[in-house]
Amino acid sequence: MIRKIVLPGTEVGDAKSKLPGKGVFKEGDKIYASRLGILSEKGKYINVIPLSGVYDPNVGDNVIGVIQEVFKNAWIVDINAPYPAFLNLENVPWRVDYGETSKYLKVGDVIIATIAAIDEAKNIDISMKCKACRKIEDGIIIEIQPSKVPRVIGKSGSMLATLKKYTQCWIFVGQNGRIWIKGEDEKVNLLIKAIRKIEKEAHTFGLTQRIIKMLGG
Amino acid sequence: MDIPEVKRVSAVKRDHLARLAKEGKRPDGRGPDEYRPIKIERNVIKKAEGSARVKIGNTMVLAGIKLEVGEPYPDSPEEGAMSTSAELPPLASPEFEPGPPKPDAIELARVVDRGIRESKYIQLDKLCIEPGEKVWIVFIDLHILDYDGNLFDACSLAASAALQKAVIPNERYGFGDNEPLPVTSPPVSCTFVKYENFIVVDPNLDEEQIAQARFTVALDKNGDIRAMQKGLKGSFTIDEIKNNIKRAQIHAQKIRKLLEE
Amino acid sequence: MLIKDGIRMDGRKPDELRPIKIEAGVLYRADGSCYLEWGGNKIMAAVYGPREALPRHIQDPTKAIVNARYNMASFSVEERKRPGPDRRSTEISKVTSEALESVIFTELFPRTTIDVCIEVLDAEAGTRCAGITAAAVALADAGIPMRDLPVACAAGKIDGTIVLDLSSEEDKEGEADLPVAIAPRNEEILLLQMDGHLTYKEFEEALELAIKGCKEVVKLQRKALLNKYKTFEVE
């Protein structure tokens, strides 16, 4: 079974009775899809949930970042978005003096951070002052298409709960498509296979049941 | 490869690969002496005199052969000539940049060239049209389409496969009917990388990114050595090099069978 | 003689396209990709981005830069082509970038580039139209927001007859070639070039035919994109 897939320029609704949501645009009396995705109507809003595309950061997202550059008062962090993010030394959970930044986070270090602010030119500030925020020291990080993150998490976290239950692994899903996994090698391999399957079949119905079956439930 | 703005490998990935290496495991679950699946398709380009698309895992390259009439080199007036180039177009990887070939692309083309040249795969002595005046020049162009590691073996294999079924375009030059390009037995190239004192064949991109040293050997059908190249900043011990060659002799036999199919 | 009793040398009718095959999402590394065969043309297109434009001084703080690069493989033509851009490919890259940019919502991604790589692997007339058509599929596959799915097709004139999608011989021997790219929904012209000789009336006829061709090709583009999501292994 497949959900209704639309393409850029596909007419998806009447602007007289519906409102344009995400992934769509209004032209004249009509609403059209602006990208490849699944058609979804929520109340008066027509949305297209993308099936591909880069990570578009939103304030409040928790992301997994990799330190790219270290300055005396800040770090530049790759957050898998079109833009690197800026982590000021005041936004970390440690007391860091000016010029001491590299003692705490070096190039290549991996962190969980939260998007603190985005301006119009898409300059991004991140912060490590959140509950989940930390430096990641072990386990592995896999990358999936950011557009598939909601499917890996599932409705109110249902898919994620399923994955945790059947693999006994520690899983943290960054909104930017990076996933942190810890567990026994065998289980981790199985989990990665399950996540790849979710990524590939994100547009289909009955996915949770197939995943449970795959994980031996 | 040509990476000016290196997207650095994260510390977590490096540690993970290092831990696996200590247990003799690879990130994609292969054994140290396991190639990814290899697929060869010949004659995929109509305009070329010979062509082959080779996939090794996710890596995909295309080799195209063109022949032109030109002047022989003064020191070999009765022999044809060959020339190998490689393009790493931005299509194949987010790290590749447009522009003239950079040192990585030139090294790649020259290593492939040496394997073919030294094994006398193309019978250049049969490519003379008029001694001292006109000979066939064989151009081997390597076009990378998708880069997930081990371009050396993928390109060498694509070049060998493309030459195997190439033709001399006599018709285009009014020399009569086209005829097969005279070739002998192809060289087969095997590449290894070393990281964390772990040496693996056919590295994927993750492994290449943390590799300290790389070794390529091209073998002829007797398993004799026709070309070698050690690359990157790290080193191998003498025993490691010897062992790599012995491992390559086993791989080369299997890969040669694919070429003969 | 290129056309006789309304039938062209390759057996096509005047308004008939060459066979076209399109596949979306064929490359592992690219954010979006497309492989396209159109007559004897074989094209691989890839899209990377939007990604930070570098060096920084080229960044536009208000929008993304669309950067298409049309490149011919050295073995794609009869006489081996020297690798690298020449004046022809530079021009095609420019008009392709502009044609694609006009349908992309570039203002959503300030300070970035959207890189479109078009590699012509086997060439047989009409590579720029084939390239734009493949690039459009790769852009949609990459999830780039667009007003429409652009598409391109040429019309031309052979032996005084207006025909669709010139073959290599028709291109060489014919009287005119008119490559056109459109946004099919509103029939907006995104690219138009012409060389040869057409009366105003012939131009009108040729443009109408090219647009008709575009509308056939866009069906194949859409099918290719939907096909990618149609199949998956059920265990």
Side-chain angles (χ1 to χ4, degrees), chain C residues 12 14 18 37 52-53 86 104 107 123 125 129 172 180 205 222 230:
Chain C
R12 284 187 291 157
R18 289 173 287 176
E37 291 184 5
E52 191 181 24
D86 51 20
I104 297 173
E107 65 280 9
C129 289
K172 262 180 237 146
V180 176
E205 193 189 332
R222 291 179 172 273
K230 226 167 223 165

Side-chain angles (χ1 to χ4, degrees), chain B residues 46-47 66 141 143 146, chain C residues 28-29 78 80 119 122-123:
Chain B
K46 226 165 98 189
K47 284 276 158 57
K66 290 300 288 182
D141 281 292
H143 216 77
D146 216 352
Chain C
Y28 171 72
R29 292 300 300 282
E78 204 78 46
R80 178 178 181 268
E119 297 288 329
D122 214 349

Side-chain angles (χ1 to χ4, degrees), chain B residues 54-255:
Chain B
V54 165
K55 285 188 87 170
I56 302 184
N58 292 315
T59 290
M60 175 160 57
V61 307
L62 182 57
I65 312 297
K66 290 300 288 182
L67 265 70
E68 276 177 15
V69 174
E71 273 179 42
Y73 289 111
D75 57 349
S76 55
E78 295 186 23
E79 279 191 10
M82 61 176 281
S83 159
T84 310
S85 335
E87 271 202 80
L88 306 184
L91 171 103
S93 161
E95 285 93 22
F96 293 171
E97 292 196 328
K102 294 174 186 76
D104 286 318
I106 291 171
E107 182 191 26
L108 172 63
R110 287 182 57 86
V111 171
V112 171
D113 187 280
R114 283 207 288 279
I116 293 167
R117 197 180 291 273
E118 299 306 327
S119 60
K120 304 195 165 43
Y121 181 33
I122 306 174
Q123 295 176 289
L124 295 174
D125 54 335
K126 294 188 179 166
L127 294 180
C128 181
I129 303 165
E130 262 178 63
E133 299 285 330
K134 269 192 211 169
V135 297
W136 287 110
I137 301 172
V138 182
F139 288 94
I140 303 166
D141 281 292
L142 303 163
H143 216 77
I144 316 305
L145 298 176
D146 216 352
Y147 169 48
D148 189 26
N150 200 8
L151 292 180
F152 283 86
D153 293 352
C155 286
S156 164
L157 197 53
S160 287
L163 288 164
Q164 215 168 19
K165 294 278 184 299
V167 297
I168 301 178
N170 286 324
E171 283 167 24
R172 195 163 74 232
Y173 289 88
F175 297 161
D177 290 341
N178 287 353
E179 53 190 324
L181 181 73
V183 289
T184 60
S185 199
V188 171
S189 144
C190 275
T191 296
F192 300 84
V193 297
K194 176 176 171 181
Y195 56 91
E196 305 291 333
N197 284 314
F198 187 42
I199 301 179
V200 299
V201 77
D202 179 33
N204 69 14
L205 185 64
D206 282 343
E207 293 174 315
E208 274 190 8
Q209 279 179 331
I210 66 157
Q212 288 123 14
R214 186 191 65 230
F215 178 75
T216 300
V217 56
L219 299 168
D220 67 16
K221 67 170 189 305
N222 300 320
D224 292 344
I225 306 162
R226 296 299 182 128
M228 289 190 278
Q229 184 89 341
K230 184 261 157 185
L232 307 184
K233 285 167 191 145
S235 62
F236 291 100
T237 65
I238 294 167
D239 282 342
E240 282 169 348
I241 294 282
K242 288 180 180 168
N243 196 35
N244 287 347
I245 297 170
K246 286 180 196 152
R247 286 163 75 176
Q249 285 171 328
I250 298 167
H251 288 297
Q253 278 185 356
K254 290 186 204 156
I255 295 170

Side-chain angles (χ1 to χ4, degrees), chain A residues 90-109:
Chain A
E90 283 169 6
N91 288 332
V92 295
W94 318 289
R95 212 196 98 95
V96 182
D97 290 329
Y98 181 85
E100 304 276 284
T101 40
S102 65
K103 286 190 183 163
Y104 294 85
L105 294 169
K106 294 186 181 59
V107 169
D109 281 351

